Amino acid sequence: MDLNQENSLRGKDYISLTDYKPEEFRYLLDLAVELKARQKKGIPHPLLQGKTLAMIFQKASTRTRVSFEVAMYHLGGLGMFLSSNDLQIGRGEPIQDTARVLASYSEGILIRTFSHQEVISLARHAKVPVINGLTDDEHPTQALADMLTILEAKGKLQGLKLAYFGDGNNVAVSLIHACALCGMEIVLSCPEGYRPPEKALAQGEAMKAPGARITVVQDPKEAAAQADVLYTDVWTSMGQEKESAIRLKALGGYQVNDELLKLAKPDAIVLHCLPAHRGEEITDSVMEGPQSKIFEEAENRMHAHKAILAALL
Ligand code: CP
Ligand code: NVA
């Protein structure tokens, strides 16, 4: 792959996968594979020399923050961690003004926040690409790393069945989008009241590449049957802490454990975006078991983020 070749994604935002076509998403995946291979071989890849990424965080983060910072460093640029507690946003400066100012110093802006609308508003006022590092609604950078991990484990994506268990949250929504783009079957197993938003399901339907299928079921066993990938996420996301007791009760039957894993294909893999609450949505033994690719998935955040940065910036 020629890394200096012009690509059509230059200048584009990465806010929602609904803005991406299957071939554009595939380009990012191929680029991630290439950049990972170069790093493993010790081949430098300073594609963003002299460029900077402003990284606004209004919620906690381990993986997203560190992997984007390290990715910028490996690409020859600089990632600047900006906690909203320390920015003037925290004292009420409008996002529009912040966007204009940060865009005048940086070639890109990454933001992790609560409101998805706020990210769209930021992008409207920033002249540089804006990357969504997680909102209450979507987590699109995670989904690219997830697809990279599945591709590495299975050698393909199209036609595979991914079963998602638990809360139809931001991670689930971006997985619906990513599976649609990659021609995969996604079966979400969620209790009543925790289904993914109808809007996200409709978006997935509209984005479907050949082979893609999206269904929501209640029974976790039905979802797990013959699955290639089992995926779960926390039952209480950031910002929902007050609901945690109700959620624990409602989602209790959706744990990814050894019993559930036995229903999947014998070579199925298990993914979790992390952080995990061991003993709640996933057991220790599955997380540490031979079918878990959870820590490979976490590493792949960095390789996937490099692809996003190299393509857009
Ligand atoms: N998966 C994920 O986004 O992790 P962090 O919250 O640690 O960034
Ligand atoms: N659904 C989780 C994902 C964390 C990476 C949250 O929003 O807290």
Side-chain angles (χ1 to χ4, degrees), residues 14 28-29 31-33 35-36 39 45 47-48 53 55 57 61-75 110 112 131-134 139-146 148 273 297-313:
Y14 190 91
L28 291 176
L29 273 174
L31 187 53
V33 169
L35 290 169
K36 181 171 180 177
Q39 182 177 328
H45 37 280
L47 300 169
L48 296 181
L53 177 72
M55 299 169 37
F57 280 82
S61 172
T62 298
R63 282 144 287 269
T64 308
R65 178 206 169 158
V66 179
S67 61
F68 265 104
E69 264 189 48
V70 174
M72 279 306 286
Y73 177 75
H74 286 175
L75 291 168
L110 167 80
R112 166 170 288 198
I131 301 169
N132 174 2
L134 180 146
H139 196 4
T141 62
Q142 177 71 51
L144 184 67
D146 298 341
L148 175 61
C273 59
E297 178 189 11
E299 179 191 326
N300 279 338
R301 294 295 301 283
M302 182 180 66
H303 306 296
H305 297 166
K306 273 188 198 171
I308 295 169
L309 292 165
L312 273 49
L313 270 55

Side-chain angles (χ1 to χ4, degrees), residues 11-229:
K12 195 173 161 88
D13 294 320
Y14 190 91
I15 297 175
S16 173
L17 296 181
T18 54
D19 301 328
Y20 278 72
K21 299 192 189 88
E23 60 274 19
E24 292 173 330
F25 194 69
R26 183 68 207 200
Y27 174 81
L28 291 176
L29 273 174
D30 291 342
L31 187 53
V33 169
E34 175 71 28
L35 290 169
K36 181 171 180 177
R38 289 191 188 210
Q39 182 177 328
K40 296 290 174 192
K41 287 184 203 144
I43 305 170
H45 37 280
L47 300 169
L48 296 181
Q49 249 165 13
K51 299 199 175 179
T52 57
L53 177 72
M55 299 169 37
I56 306 171
F57 280 82
Q58 308 214 32
K59 285 178 175 174
S61 172
T62 298
R63 282 144 287 269
T64 308
R65 178 206 169 158
V66 179
S67 61
F68 265 104
E69 264 189 48
V70 174
M72 279 306 286
Y73 177 75
H74 286 175
L75 291 168
L78 174 75
M80 283 174 294
F81 172 70
L82 306 166
S83 160
S84 61
N85 296 330
D86 304 325
L87 291 172
Q88 295 286 12
I89 296 181
R91 295 182 54 250
E93 183 170 17
I95 196 82
Q96 301 90 300
D97 296 356
T98 309
R100 282 168 65 184
V101 173
L102 291 180
S104 71
Y105 306 141
S106 308
E107 280 71 28
I109 302 174
L110 167 80
I111 179 163
R112 166 170 288 198
T113 189
F114 295 86
S115 150
H116 194 77
Q117 207 45 50
E118 190 176 335
V119 179
I120 293 169
S121 175
L122 176 81
R124 205 168 289 138
H125 294 90
K127 287 204 190 80
V128 297
V130 169
I131 301 169
N132 174 2
L134 180 146
T135 61
D136 289 345
D137 299 359
E138 299 185 35
H139 196 4
T141 62
Q142 177 71 51
L144 184 67
D146 298 341
M147 294 297 132
L148 175 61
T149 312
I150 300 168
L151 182 63
E152 283 176 346
K154 300 280 163 203
K156 63 167 190 177
L157 294 171
Q158 200 180 24
L160 297 180
K161 175 179 175 183
L162 183 150
Y164 177 91
F165 301 90
D167 186 19
N169 61 15
N170 45 9
V171 168
V173 167
S174 289
L175 277 175
I176 292 169
H177 297 157
C179 287
L181 289 174
C182 295
M184 287 171 63
E185 178 183 3
I186 179 167
V187 182
L188 300 113
S189 169
C190 315
E192 212 38 70
Y194 294 87
R195 285 168 56 99
E198 289 306 319
K199 183 180 161 195
L201 295 169
Q203 287 167 335
E205 287 297 329
M207 291 162 76
K208 273 185 349 192
R213 233 179 118 206
I214 306 162
T215 41
V216 185
V217 299
Q218 279 199 13
D219 181 9
K221 292 196 179 102
E222 185 184 339
Q226 291 302 306
D228 298 284
V229 182

Side-chain angles (χ1 to χ4, degrees), residues 230-242:
L230 301 194
Y231 198 117
T232 191
D233 182 20
V234 290
W235 293 337
T236 300
S237 287
M238 289 181 276
Q240 300 174 331
E241 288 77 7
K242 281 195 186 122

